Amino acid sequence: MGGSRSRQDEKGHGCEKNSVTPFSSASLGDASEKDGHHSPSPPSSPSTTSTDDKSDTDPDPDPLSPLERALTADCRTPAEQLGPSNLNLTRTATSFATTGSRIPSFEVEFGDNDPDNPRNWPLWYRGLTIFVVSFSTWTVVLYSTSYTSSMPGMMEEFHTTNQTVATLGVTMYLIGLAVGSLILAPLSEMYGRRPVYTASLLFYCLMVLPCALATSLSEILIVRFFGAVAGAVMIANAPGTVSDITDENYRALAFSIWSIGPMNGPVTGPLIGGFVAEYLGWRWTNWVVMIVAGAAWIMMSLIKETYAPAILKRKAAKMRKDTGDDRWWCRYDDKMGLYELLKINLSRPFVLSFTEPILWFWNAYIAIIYAILYLCFVAYPYIYGGLRGWSLGFTGLAFVGIGVGTLLGIASEPLARRVINRHKKDPETGKVSPEASISIVCVGSFLCPIGQLWFSWTATPVTIHWIWPILAGVPFGAGNCLVFIYSSNYMAGAYGIYAASALAGNTVVRSVVGGTLPLAGSIMYTKLTPHWAGTLLGLVQVALIPIPFVFYKWGDKIRDRSPLIKRMRADQERNRKREARAKRLQDRRDAERGEIMSEGGAEKGDARRTVNTPLVTEKI
């Protein structure tokens, strides 16, 4: 392969989280459980400086790097991601060989400026890829709330007056997204991102069709669940795609651009669905989603594969076929089976959620904040449509305030970065502690109840101008955005190699709670009135404010008491000592070989050593 076999980016390229190499020193990869299955670079391969090492000296390092590595819901540790190996590498004083069939010099990797490397694609194509992925994720999230605009029409046609039953459509969809995220993430590890995207999005589009043609409400509830399971492919893998094609310097910007779609999906759902349901009927809310989802499927089908392990496996297979030499290989050829991947993805998030006290508090906090957000999709139609007499379309426009707040939260990333990086840095890593991210959560923890109480005290009586409750959505939306992003970043930084499992468990908990609480929304707002129902929710958010402040103040001590984090740190220390010992041994072997060659030539020196010196073999 020549230049195409040079050492791949030390961060593992394929979405950082999904393929962190054993030599990564990032927050997720520095406990990567190095087990000796790594293939050393051939002597002729140029070395590559890790971008993580670069970030240590960067005056303005990216504080969101732990979150970016953990957003894809693949719950394996880096050692598990590299897969089991039946290969032991041995080094002697005179040779470098393997006890298996894999020879290091035949390893297929990305070379410098390799056009197959997604990070070397033209800037316009990478920007187009981010747009397509963001748009596709938006279509999936959009469908979660556009459904609320079709509820009045469905209830009338199917002759039901029970709004709680109708709201089950939101609940089933959110639960489907949570389940699908855990199932579909491992499939990209097996087959690459592009095949999983195209197959899942096609099934998602087809699942919208029965909803548009449904003859009963029960049909819609069941089909929405399975459609959400398929649509969750964008929730599970889209962040990984963004990370696949961006480097350390621009990754935060790329994630901010991508997040515009999914973060605004819940808001634009009622806005679009309201006008569609009003002028075209409730069934057209499904047809419109099917149209945009179909467009997303077509665009995703045209985008090239971005997952580095899948690309390298194909390159190795092509080399074997073209040359007829079976010695060509890549480090990602040996992988776990699908059963093992699913078992880890479906079990580890729940184990952590039930056994880690840190996650007890954060899962509860984020789940309640998330549930109150989804209660808005019950409260706004009741207040603006029922009490103020607005049409479905104009009721959807009431969510603009939350959308503006969300965009402001996303746009504040440069300011939040500076605030986080002003915290004291760890002298060993040069990075701030995970608790630095909580400083932004503390701001969001105030904005959420401010917006909620503002809304509840201005929504009624209807004599109050309509602009005031809409403006209340600005701090509310910004607060929710900041809480979701930076609390997730804290959990990712705190749990390191188990970050994906911690976030996956949080996703399941918040989806279940966020989908369940709106079932009581119509009754609560009817019995308590919007004024007191909103006040109650605002006071609940006020009561939750101490959680981020406690962790901001004493989070490092709380983490020190976690058995899992203690064990993870001990593993990191053992790995560092093992690396140092292996490096010393290899330096000694190289020095011995240099002395032998200097005595009279490599061949004569090797012969003398074979006769007079015992052969020393060290497993690396």
Side-chain angles (χ1 to χ4, degrees):
M1 288 289 288
S4 66
R5 284 192 290 105
S6 63
R7 174 64 53 194
Q8 188 182 350
D9 189 322
E10 293 292 357
K11 294 183 77 169
H13 185 84
C15 164
E16 266 66 9
K17 187 204 110 10
N18 276 351
S19 53
V20 180
T21 67
F23 292 152
S24 173
S25 62
S27 61
L28 181 57
D30 55 8
S32 53
E33 302 175 5
K34 303 171 185 66
D35 51 6
H37 301 323
H38 173 69
S39 298
S41 176
S44 61
S45 292
S47 60
T48 304
T49 303
S50 171
T51 51
D52 280 343
D53 296 336
K54 174 188 171 190
S55 66
D56 292 346
T57 58
D58 190 340
D60 189 25
D62 183 7
L64 292 181
S65 56
L67 176 60
E68 291 159 4
R69 294 188 187 94
L71 277 172
T72 301
D74 181 350
C75 298
R76 295 167 302 143
T77 63
E80 293 167 339
Q81 291 160 10
L82 284 173
S85 175
N86 52 11
L87 167 70
N88 288 326
L89 298 178
T90 60
R91 189 174 188 109
T92 71
T94 60
S95 67
F96 189 84
T98 68
T99 59
S101 60
R102 290 184 171 181
I103 302 174
S105 60
F106 282 84
E107 181 178 1
V108 176
E109 295 183 297
F110 289 133
D112 295 334
N113 301 317
D114 191 333
D116 290 332
N117 187 339
R119 291 181 182 172
N120 293 332
W121 291 348
L123 179 61
W124 69 267
Y125 190 83
R126 287 182 287 159
L128 177 64
T129 301
I130 293 174
F131 166 77
V132 170
V133 172
S134 180
F135 175 80
S136 302
T137 312
W138 171 76
T139 62
V140 173
V141 182
L142 166 85
Y143 197 31
S144 69
T145 54
S146 65
Y147 170 86
T148 59
S149 300
S150 65
M151 285 170 52
M154 285 190 301
M155 294 172 64
E156 181 180 355
E157 181 169 334
F158 297 142
H159 308 292
T160 179
T161 58
N162 193 331
Q163 188 170 358
T164 301
V165 174
T167 309
L168 272 171
V170 177
T171 304
M172 299 298 289
Y173 196 87
L174 291 179
I175 295 176
L177 289 179
V179 173
S181 296
L182 297 178
I183 295 175
L184 294 175
L187 294 182
S188 67
E189 181 77 14
M190 301 287 294
Y191 308 108
R193 301 203 195 280
R194 188 171 177 271
V196 178
Y197 278 141
T198 52
S200 298
L201 280 177
L202 178 60
F203 186 78
Y204 170 71
C205 292
L206 295 177
M207 286 296 99
V208 180
L209 182 61
C211 294
L213 302 175
T215 58
S216 68
L217 187 58
S218 59
E219 293 177 27
I220 295 176
L221 301 182
I222 295 173
V223 172
R224 275 178 65 84
F225 171 79
F226 289 104
V229 170
V233 68
M234 300 309 308
I235 308 297
N237 294 318
T241 298
V242 176
S243 185
D244 290 345
I245 62 177
T246 54
D247 57 29
E248 186 77 16
N249 295 329
Y250 301 101
R251 191 167 297 124
L253 174 62
F255 269 90
S256 297
I257 296 173
W258 165 79
S259 64
I260 293 174
M263 292 296 291
N264 285 281
V267 176
T268 52
L271 195 157
I272 296 174
F275 283 107
V276 171
E278 179 180 353
Y279 291 103
L280 299 176
W282 72 267
R283 293 185 184 274
W284 267 95
T285 60
N286 296 284
W287 292 121
V288 168
V289 170
M290 190 172 183
I291 292 170
V292 295
W297 173 69
I298 293 173
M299 290 189 292
M300 289 299 297
S301 300
L302 298 176
I303 293 297
K304 295 188 293 185
E305 177 63 66
T306 65
Y307 190 43
I311 298 172
L312 289 173
K313 285 193 289 186
R314 281 204 298 265
K315 291 185 71 170
K318 186 175 185 298
M319 287 297 300
R320 290 192 293 267
K321 180 180 178 181
D322 292 346
T323 63
D325 191 341
D326 291 335
R327 290 178 295 177
W328 292 103
W329 63 281
C330 82
R331 74 182 69 176
Y332 303 105
D333 283 336
D334 287 334
K335 287 294 178 181
M336 290 184 179
L338 182 60
Y339 173 76
E340 288 79 8
L341 289 176
L342 288 176
K343 184 171 67 174
I344 291 173
N345 260 46
L346 295 176
S347 62
R348 187 172 286 164
F350 294 99
V351 172
L352 263 63
S353 296
F354 284 107
T355 59
E356 281 294 301
I358 293 175
L359 296 180
W360 296 349
F361 288 97
W362 282 103
N363 286 351
Y365 179 65
I366 297 174
I368 293 174
I369 296 293
Y370 192 72
I372 293 175
L373 170 64
Y374 266 81
L375 266 174
C376 292
F377 303 110
V378 176
Y380 274 55
Y382 176 77
I383 292 171
Y384 288 100
L387 300 182
R388 290 182 177 263
W390 288 20
S391 65
L392 285 174
F394 280 96
T395 298
L397 285 173
F399 290 93
V400 168
I402 298 178
V404 171
T406 300
L407 290 175
L408 290 176
I410 295 172
S412 67
E413 190 274 335
L415 176 61
R417 176 193 297 262
R418 286 195 290 270
V419 171
I420 293 174
N421 285 327
R422 289 182 63 184
H423 288 75
K424 183 179 179 180
K425 292 179 173 59
D426 187 328
E428 292 186 4
T429 64
K431 299 176 182 178
V432 296
S433 67
E435 285 72 32
S437 294
I438 302 181
S439 60
I440 308 301
V441 181
C442 292
V443 176
S445 69
F446 276 102
L447 292 176
C448 287
I450 288 174
Q452 179 63 43
L453 292 172
W454 180 352
F455 175 80
S456 64
W457 284 82
T458 57
T460 56
V462 295
T463 53
I464 299 176
H465 197 276
W466 53 264
I467 193 61
W468 295 112
I470 291 179
L471 290 176
V474 176
F476 182 78
N480 276 275
C481 180
L482 296 179
V483 167
F484 294 150
I485 293 176
Y486 293 96
S487 61
S488 298
N489 193 54
Y490 165 71
M491 289 186 288
Y495 282 94
I497 60 173
Y498 297 104
S501 297
L503 294 182
N506 178 266
T507 298
V508 173
V509 173
R510 83 181 188 207
S511 296
V512 172
V513 177
T516 303
L517 192 58
L519 296 177
S522 59
I523 298 176
M524 182 174 66
Y525 275 90
T526 301
K527 298 293 185 181
L528 297 180
T529 72
H531 178 78
W532 290 110
T535 300
L536 175 63
L537 296 175
L539 293 177
V540 169
Q541 291 179 321
V542 170
L544 295 174
I545 288 178
I547 291 179
F549 278 90
V550 168
F551 278 88
Y552 180 62
K553 179 70 174 177
W554 297 289
D556 55 340
K557 295 182 175 62
I558 297 173
R559 284 189 292 119
D560 290 341
R561 298 174 67 89
S562 167
L564 177 65
I565 295 178
K566 284 182 182 178
R567 186 165 65 251
M568 185 174 66
R569 290 173 176 172
D571 290 341
Q572 292 175 4
E573 185 61 29
R574 283 196 297 270
N575 290 335
R576 280 193 288 266
K577 290 180 180 179
R578 188 181 300 119
E579 287 176 23
R581 185 168 59 251
K583 186 178 185 301
R584 288 196 301 269
L585 289 171
Q586 181 161 339
D587 290 343
R588 190 176 69 189
R589 301 292 185 275
D590 292 341
E592 291 175 354
R593 185 181 183 189
E595 292 175 1
I596 294 171
M597 295 181 67
S598 65
E599 290 177 2
E603 294 181 1
K604 294 174 63 177
D606 286 344
R608 279 199 304 273
R609 182 167 181 82
T610 301
V611 173
N612 300 320
T613 308
L615 188 66
V616 180
T617 301
E618 180 68 32
K619 183 179 291 186
I620 301 177

